Amino acid sequence: MKNLGSVSFSSPFIIISFHLLLLSLHPNHIQGSDTVIQLPRSGSVSARCSLKRVLSVAQYGAEGDGHHNDTKAVEEVWKTACAMSGRITILFPPEKEFLIYPIDMGGPCRSKITLKILGTISAPKDPEVWDGLNPRKWLYFHGLKYLTLEGKGKINGMGQKWWDRSCKTKPSNPCRPAPTVSNHFYKCKNLKVGELTILNSQQMHMAFNNCMRVVASKLAVLAPASSPNTDGIHISRTKGIEVKDSLIRTGDDCISIVRNSSQIKIRNISCGPGHGISIGSLGKNGSWEKVENVMVSESYLYQTDNGVRIKTWQGGDGFASKITFKNIVMENVSNPIIIDQFYCDSPHPCRNQTSAVKVENISFIGIRGTSATEEAIKFACSDDSPCERLYLEDIYLTLGFGGNIRSYCWQAHGYTNGRVYPPHCFPETGNFLSAQKILEELDSYSIYLSKPTL
């Protein structure tokens, strides 16, 4: 494998330019697409048929003033669109705010539906609206094929009251469920989400669960750093997903990838503040879970609590394998590179257990920048199921405030190539042939991941 081109971190220009490039992808800066849908003039039969291809929620009674409940209008337009054939657009007009209560938008549908969101969709502020309803859902899309959400508008979860009553905000509060996501996609195929601002979700902002062939791009996902459990994008039991060209600033993981997900490409992400980009957690409550064939590349992390992370619970089973983090710039990031097989997100100590999710074939390549912690590389692996075939290449991390920086290994085994700073802590680095074999396998599944998602 050719050595990656070096990125000098001594000049702030590189970081600033990279960050500005990503910010230019924010939906409010995206150029080249119309902000309104051009409808054909009436008169001909073909024109009248084309008019039916675009259904505005305003035509079905939506007020769009941010105060009236527009849920019924959206349910009616969805029912109509779903029953039609061909490609149908549901339009949320610009300069309007549509108050939407918990809603189920399900398939199968005869049509291929696009939600063109040019205005704002907002959730009710009061959690009591969910009394008697599923408290984990707000906008719930399921059983759909060829669904698209786009349009330079906003989806606002109005999460402040949910955060205030969270047990993570105030430990004396009871731990109660909240809408897991502003946008929950379940069993959807050939799904596209792009050019939207998604903000202030009650918990996770966007989740893909049991989906196939997904592209999420040019998104701005925003919430205060103090907002609890507000992951930006959550991927679960999903195969064939690409997340790219997006800005994510939340109070939890920018992107989290969990149980039984594979063929994942994450590229050109600006992440931070938040908890970084995470695989896991995996193996909670003794569960068998896997994540494999993941590529995270060309991204920038800023002041996050973790950088690129794999986290598993003791007592779990399964594996995390064939995962690469490549060409990533970090600025003032705590725990820039971390594998933690003793993860314990609990108010009580977790008991020691022997079984563990197997972590192997993990590569960290071209990772540079500054660490907020003296321990820049941490591999804390299981005694009974050590981490194997870890690979480090072209790593250069320094302490942001000066001083010594170090690596930590426990039951971690792997190989290095090129410069690695801080120096690696593997008990042995194997031989040249073993390292070459890892590189060949990395190249093979990188080519596999480079195939188009849709």
Side-chain angles (χ1 to χ4, degrees), residues 306-349:
N306 297 282
V308 289
R309 174 170 61 157
I310 298 175
K311 49 183 177 176
T312 72
W313 294 75
Q314 294 184 75
D317 200 0
F319 62 88
S321 181
K322 295 184 180 179
I323 297 166
T324 295
F325 302 98
K326 183 177 181 181
N327 293 350
I328 296 173
V329 176
M330 302 196 181
E331 184 177 359
N332 197 35
V333 169
S334 300
N335 309 307
I337 297 174
I338 178 169
I339 298 175
D340 181 8
Q341 292 207 269
F342 302 91
Y343 182 72
C344 179
D345 183 18
S346 170
H348 309 292

